Amino acid sequence: MDTPWKHYKADVDSADIYAFLEPVTSTWQYIIVDPNTREAAVIDPVLDYDPASGTLSTIAAGILLKFIKEKELNVVRILETHAHADHLTASQYIKQMLGGKAPICIGERIKQLQGHFAPVYGLEPRDFVKSFDIFLKDEEEFSLSSNITGKVIHLPGHTPDHIGYMVGKAVFTGDSIFMPDLGSARADFPGGNAKDLFASMTRLLSLPQDYQLFVGHDYPVGRQHDCMATVGVHQTKNKHGKFGTTESQFIQFREARDKVLGAPRLLHPSLQVNIRAGKLPPASNGRVWLKTPTKLTNPNIPL
Ligand SMILES: [Fe+2]
């Protein structure tokens, strides 16, 4: 890529889509722009985290902010597809750097995950205050500008709260589907399951063939990173869900595959930050502590 982004059209009132790759976690971040009004939405921005040195940084988010500044965009929404388990969200940071007005949005089922993980990370109800601003319902429509409307589609399976965003013929699918040669994401996180993921992929593959499915990650082998394939291409080529795949075939494959996958490298830092929209624990003397829940396999290990 000559620029740090790839450009697409959403085929609705000329909405522009800019895709930015965060290379360390292979995450695709998106900015949707109404070129007439310069109103924009940011989807799934990344906060850089190096677990070995315990360092948070804002390289990826800085690239998005520079783009927003140079294009003189007015970001009206920050959209999360789900509580990511493999990278930290920069939503809170982006919101703050843009003046604190753009609401951070996520599917309403995030509350299930917050309830599940709060005791895991020792979080209290007060810790969730001022995290997400808007909890979106299934099929809810919202305006990105006076010309452009977004629509929420519930796409569970990878996680139970997972939603996608449809803007014209563009669908931001998060981790509900991967590029055709990779097929699908894992479905073994709490509340996720292969049956729901198959139903979500089937829903996506039932859209008109020229609809564009934008993915949340890409892990290419023997090709460049890519972020979009049409529904028509997925129907014939998706490695795990192309037309003709049965639900039982998919479930059998997905569950067997997930059994041998290790936990994501950034699982614990990600979840405890992402269920709070990127809000960090309280700092003391400029330091922040993230927690690692630890199982004791021998009861004689002294506490
Ligand atoms: Fe994910």
Side-chain angles (χ1 to χ4, degrees):
M1 288 189 286
D2 298 321
T3 58
W5 64 81
K6 288 162 77 96
H7 177 236
Y8 299 85
K9 284 296 216 185
D11 199 21
V12 53
D13 301 313
S14 302
D16 286 305
I17 295 163
Y18 298 92
F20 297 77
L21 178 70
E22 190 291 298
V24 177
T25 59
S26 287
T27 303
W28 283 105
Q29 316 155 97
Y30 297 96
I31 300 180
I32 312 169
V33 180
D34 181 335
N36 299 312
T37 67
R38 297 190 189 281
E39 289 163 294
V42 177
I43 301 180
D44 288 341
V46 174
L47 192 64
D48 309 280
Y49 179 64
D50 175 35
S53 62
T55 307
L56 280 168
S57 53
T58 56
I59 298 163
I63 292 169
L64 301 182
L65 289 167
K66 181 167 180 273
F67 179 87
I68 289 163
K69 190 173 176 199
E70 283 175 359
K71 296 261 184 193
E72 298 177 358
L73 303 180
N74 172 22
V75 173
V76 296
R77 284 192 182 242
I78 301 167
L79 304 172
E80 290 284 352
T81 53
H82 64 295
H84 313 281
D86 52 10
H87 65 273
L88 280 66
T89 175
S91 283
Q92 206 69 239
Y93 172 71
I94 296 262
K95 177 184 173 182
Q96 182 181 299
M97 294 303 286
L98 294 176
K101 286 192 189 139
I104 303 174
C105 311
I106 197 163
E108 60 181 352
R109 288 178 189 79
I110 186 67
K111 290 174 184 172
Q112 284 177 27
L113 285 186
Q114 290 173 327
H116 178 89
F117 284 111
V120 175
Y121 296 112
L123 298 168
E124 303 288 336
R126 65 171 180 269
D127 296 320
F128 294 94
V129 175
K130 292 188 181 169
S131 53
F132 295 101
D133 300 296
I134 295 177
F135 299 92
L136 295 164
K137 296 186 184 322
D138 303 344
E139 313 297 321
E140 183 170 339
E141 294 195 353
F142 55 90
S143 61
L144 291 178
S145 72
S146 47
N147 307 314
I148 296 172
T149 300
K151 184 179 173 187
V152 175
I153 47 176
H154 184 213
L155 297 170
H158 175 64
T159 62
D161 65 313
H162 202 302
I163 57 173
Y165 297 101
M166 189 181 294
V167 178
K169 293 183 178 178
V171 185
F172 300 90
T173 65
D175 298 353
S176 301
I177 199 164
F178 278 166
M179 290 299 288
D181 58 341
L182 299 175
S184 63
R186 63 196 298 173
D188 60 340
F189 294 142
N193 66 78
K195 184 178 168 70
D196 286 352
L197 186 59
F198 184 74
S200 292
M201 289 174 70
T202 302
R203 183 175 184 188
L204 290 169
L205 266 61
S206 303
L207 292 167
Q209 288 192 329
D210 62 340
Y211 273 44
Q212 303 169 321
L213 303 185
F214 289 88
V215 297
H217 290 286
D218 192 32
Y219 309 102
V221 177
R223 61 168 172 80
Q224 299 287 307
H225 278 92
D226 205 351
C227 63
M228 189 280 286
T230 62
V231 167
V233 170
H234 277 285
Q235 286 176 353
T236 55
K237 297 212 166 109
N238 186 285
K239 189 176 172 185
H240 302 156
K242 67 185 173 205
F243 274 3
T245 310
T246 65
E247 182 189 76
S248 61
Q249 281 172 334
F250 180 81
I251 292 173
Q252 199 174 22
F253 156 76
R254 192 67 262 170
E255 290 183 348
R257 175 83 182 122
D258 288 350
K259 267 193 193 120
V260 298
L261 293 176
R265 194 174 63 103
L266 299 181
L267 177 73
H268 293 303
S270 299
L271 282 174
Q272 64 196 282
V273 169
N274 293 345
I275 57 173
R276 303 197 305 144
K279 198 169 145 188
L280 297 172
S284 174
N285 293 327
R287 285 187 181 223
V288 164
W289 290 269
L290 298 175
K291 292 175 178 165
T292 305
T294 306
K295 281 183 203 144
L296 304 182
T297 58
N298 180 336
N300 295 321
I301 297 172
L303 294 174

